[in-house]
Amino acid sequence: MSAGQCAGAERFQYLQALVTEFQDTDSIEAKEQVLANLANFSYDPKNFSDLQKLQVPDMFLDMLTEDNENLVEFGIGGICNLCLDKAMKNHILSAGGPSLIINCLSSCREETVLSAITALMYLCTAASRAEITAPPVVECMVRFSLSDNRRFSNLAKIFLEDYCTEQQVEEARSLSQHSALGIPLPKD
């Protein structure tokens, strides 16, 4: 076995131990720490195959419906990291990821919302575009684009310019109240 294979086997065992710890612990703090570690490992494409084998993308998706804002933030952060990979992107799309991610737009956490917007952009394909640029989402992005928070406004403007049609944006802007049909602006 080469040094690279040995390191790869050790990495898989480590990731497997993290997943097992996450599943077995009753401590919320431990779950948060493990999920944050897994989200960090999802930055590196070397880990994608192992994370897929360990069903970590599904774990991240499951966290998006939790009441604990830390778990949601780490889950969406992990998804955002993984969805640049084509296989991961397809898995997240087929697992209903866009609707779960869209729900994260109403989070009161800045990082959660920014990761959600970014993930939606990464997941936008010909097949997913209608869901990702649905009127409530476009209206929400119009609201974000008007925010005093530069991170929100800049990312929302990119979303509107690169993923929406002019007609979609104009329709969203023409609405008298930007309620986003239940997607409130996060607190700045």
Side-chain angles (χ1 to χ4, degrees):
M1 186 180 292
S2 74
Q5 289 171 319
C6 183
E10 289 174 9
R11 183 172 44 243
F12 180 81
Q13 290 172 345
Y14 181 74
L15 292 171
Q16 190 171 35
L18 284 175
V19 170
T20 301
E21 181 181 352
F22 182 85
Q23 293 167 336
D24 291 349
T25 188
D26 291 328
S27 165
I28 293 298
E29 293 81 17
K31 279 189 181 296
E32 290 172 355
Q33 184 174 0
V34 169
L35 198 65
N37 286 331
L38 288 169
N40 285 335
F41 277 104
S42 67
Y43 273 111
D44 190 342
K46 288 184 211 171
N47 298 322
F48 288 176
S49 175
D50 291 341
L51 293 169
Q52 184 71 37
K53 286 178 199 163
L54 295 168
Q55 300 178 333
V56 172
D58 294 316
M59 182 187 306
F60 287 152
L61 288 168
D62 289 344
M63 293 303 103
L64 301 187
T65 58
E66 288 292 318
D67 291 332
N68 180 311
E69 288 292 333
N70 288 330
L71 294 177
V72 175
E73 181 177 331
F74 300 141
I76 190 63
I79 288 168
C80 188
N81 293 337
L82 292 176
C83 62
L84 285 173
D85 176 75
K86 186 173 182 168
M88 293 286 193
K89 174 189 243 179
N90 290 335
H91 178 80
I92 293 165
L93 287 169
S94 67
S99 65
L100 295 169
I101 295 167
I102 288 167
N103 289 336
C104 291
L105 295 174
S106 62
S107 173
C108 60
R109 294 249 178 122
E110 182 175 342
E111 293 305 319
T112 298
V113 175
L114 293 170
S115 291
I117 296 169
T118 304
L120 289 173
M121 291 191 291
Y122 291 157
L123 292 170
C124 198
T125 66
S128 66
R129 184 174 300 273
E131 180 178 14
I132 289 173
T133 65
V137 177
V138 178
E139 188 177 347
C140 183
M141 294 303 162
V142 167
R143 293 179 67 218
F144 288 155
S145 74
L146 302 172
S147 173
D148 289 336
N149 181 318
R150 299 297 285 166
R151 295 174 77 197
F152 283 137
S153 65
N154 289 341
L155 201 51
K157 287 173 186 173
I158 292 169
F159 183 96
L160 293 169
E161 290 171 12
D162 292 354
Y163 298 93
C164 303
T165 65
E166 287 182 32
Q167 181 180 353
Q168 287 175 305
V169 175
E170 286 308 312
E171 286 174 6
R173 284 188 175 133
S174 70
L175 296 172
S176 59
Q177 288 220 329
H178 294 291
S179 65
L181 303 176
I183 304 176
L185 270 175
K187 296 175 180 82
D188 286 339

